[in-house]
Amino acid sequence: MSTDANTTGSPGYSATKDQLLKRLSRVEGQVRGISRMVEDDRYCIEVLTQITAAQAALDKVALGLLDDHAKHCVVDAADAERGEKTDELMAAVGRLLRRG
């Protein structure tokens, strides 16, 4: 995993960082809620429904990051780096698609 964000040094999501952190905090709360459901011996289908909701919320975060990466890191990359950045993007898309 590369830590080099792009040629400008700032991550593509920097403009939406606050929104991203809020979404991740909500997901974190959902996961804590799921843990409490298991501790409270809630019905399996109810727990699975909440897991599905948390996964959907994470997918939404991931899609937003992919969009930001495409618009910032790939488009703004130097010509010599654009191919590599595009390959990174497509590999990330592939990982997300294989997950499901």
Side-chain angles (χ1 to χ4, degrees):
M1 187 160 113
S2 175
T3 57
D4 185 23
N6 57 39
T7 56
T8 63
S10 64
Y13 58 82
S14 60
T16 59
K17 185 175 180 178
D18 289 340
Q19 179 184 10
L20 178 64
L21 289 171
K22 286 178 188 176
R23 284 180 186 243
L24 289 170
S25 290
R26 282 194 294 272
V27 171
E28 183 180 16
Q30 283 180 294
V31 172
R32 280 194 306 270
I34 294 167
S35 181
R36 283 191 301 274
M37 290 176 77
V38 171
E39 288 173 2
D40 295 342
D41 296 321
R42 297 282 295 271
Y43 185 56
C44 301
I45 298 303
E46 292 175 9
V47 176
L48 290 169
T49 299
Q50 292 307 310
I51 289 171
T52 301
Q55 288 174 328
L58 277 174
D59 286 345
K60 198 166 187 177
V61 170
L63 288 173
L65 284 169
L66 285 172
D67 184 61
D68 289 341
H69 182 70
K71 290 178 178 173
H72 184 268
C73 301
V74 176
V75 171
D76 292 345
D79 289 340
E81 295 178 337
R82 193 164 295 122
E84 178 184 347
K85 297 295 182 184
T86 301
D87 291 344
E88 287 177 342
L89 174 66
M90 295 312 297
V93 169
R95 287 190 300 274
L96 281 172
L97 291 175
R98 281 191 300 273
R99 183 191 62 76

